[in-house]
Amino acid sequence: MTRARGWHALTAAVAIGALVLQTVLVFQGSSVLVEENPPTLATRLIRLVAYFTIQSNVLIAIATAMLARNPDRDGTGFRSLRLAGIVGITVTGLVHFFLLRPLLDLEGGSYVADKLLHMVVPALAVIGWIAFGPRPRVERRGIEVSLAWPIAWLMVILIAGAATDWFPYPFLDYDEKGWGHVIAVCIGITALFGAVIALYGYADQKLSARP
């Protein structure tokens, strides 16, 4: 239990630190992803929250902070939060590594924030889930929330993109990539979420109970 508390506390601290660092960079006018002419501060902050990376890191920070106090925490709401967070951060790491990493040319604080949000926090979160759980915790409601959240996020981003001509990730820009490409990407992302959810559901039953 002591090791579980320590690992969850470390994960929460790194996630919170990375989120704070990225927010400070936004206040300073640094780029979020790649923007040559940053808009107003209010717009930058709204766009920051629109990134799936930020949302998944927030969920992980909340869930692991709760687990740092009680590694055996349970409850219907917590189960949904925990599964959505671990699924979201796993997809965040995979999409970043295979789709976004080759597009980025960051340095300084932006480089550090990028690596923390996209690589370090996902690694800590997944290792923590495998080693310390808690599990079994995967149930139908959590699965529904974990799949509904990214689908809702995609819909909001595409609708907002039509009004603002801004997309948090280049592979969702249908003006540049075309609708065929974007639809294929959305189907692929949804399938990826389904596969990751299924994987965690299977592991939740097959791995030994934790704590």
Side-chain angles (χ1 to χ4, degrees):
M1 294 291 280
T2 300
R3 291 194 296 271
R5 285 192 177 94
W7 191 272
H8 294 315
L10 172 63
T11 305
V14 173
I16 293 170
L19 290 166
V20 170
L21 174 58
Q22 185 63 78
T23 303
V24 170
L25 292 170
V26 170
F27 269 93
Q28 293 176 345
S30 298
S31 64
V32 179
L33 200 59
V34 178
E35 287 188 73
E36 296 180 357
N37 299 308
T40 65
L41 176 59
T43 300
R44 295 201 305 273
L45 290 173
I46 292 173
R47 290 181 176 181
L48 175 67
V49 177
Y51 281 97
F52 191 85
T53 295
I54 299 300
Q55 296 179 19
S56 60
N57 272 268
V58 168
L59 293 185
I60 286 296
I62 294 172
T64 52
M66 296 168 71
L67 288 170
R69 297 190 62 184
N70 178 14
D72 195 26
R73 191 179 186 94
D74 201 0
T76 302
F78 175 78
R79 289 187 177 200
S80 297
L81 169 67
R82 179 62 169 155
L83 182 61
I86 195 67
V87 169
I89 205 69
T90 300
V91 173
T92 292
L94 292 174
V95 171
H96 170 78
F97 187 84
F98 290 106
L99 295 181
L100 297 176
R101 184 174 53 89
L103 304 177
L104 300 174
D105 184 19
L106 304 174
E107 58 184 21
S110 294
Y111 178 85
V112 173
D114 174 76
K115 297 308 176 187
L116 289 174
L117 292 168
H118 293 104
M119 299 182 69
V120 178
V121 173
L124 289 173
V126 172
I127 293 172
W129 187 89
I130 294 172
F132 305 111
R135 63 178 173 268
R137 293 288 190 275
V138 176
E139 60 183 10
R140 180 176 178 178
R141 181 176 177 182
I143 293 173
E144 293 171 348
V145 170
S146 299
L147 191 57
W149 163 42
I151 292 175
W153 175 82
L154 279 171
M155 293 177 61
V156 170
I157 290 302
L158 293 177
I159 293 171
T164 64
D165 197 30
W166 178 84
F167 301 87
Y169 302 106
F171 51 77
L172 295 178
D173 188 347
Y174 46 77
D175 288 333
E176 178 180 345
K177 302 292 186 179
W179 271 110
H181 172 88
V182 172
I183 290 174
V185 168
C186 290
I187 293 174
I189 291 175
T190 303
L192 176 60
F193 267 95
V196 172
I197 291 170
L199 178 61
Y200 277 111
Y202 178 81
D204 186 68
Q205 299 299 318
K206 294 300 181 181
L207 295 177
S208 57
R210 289 288 188 275

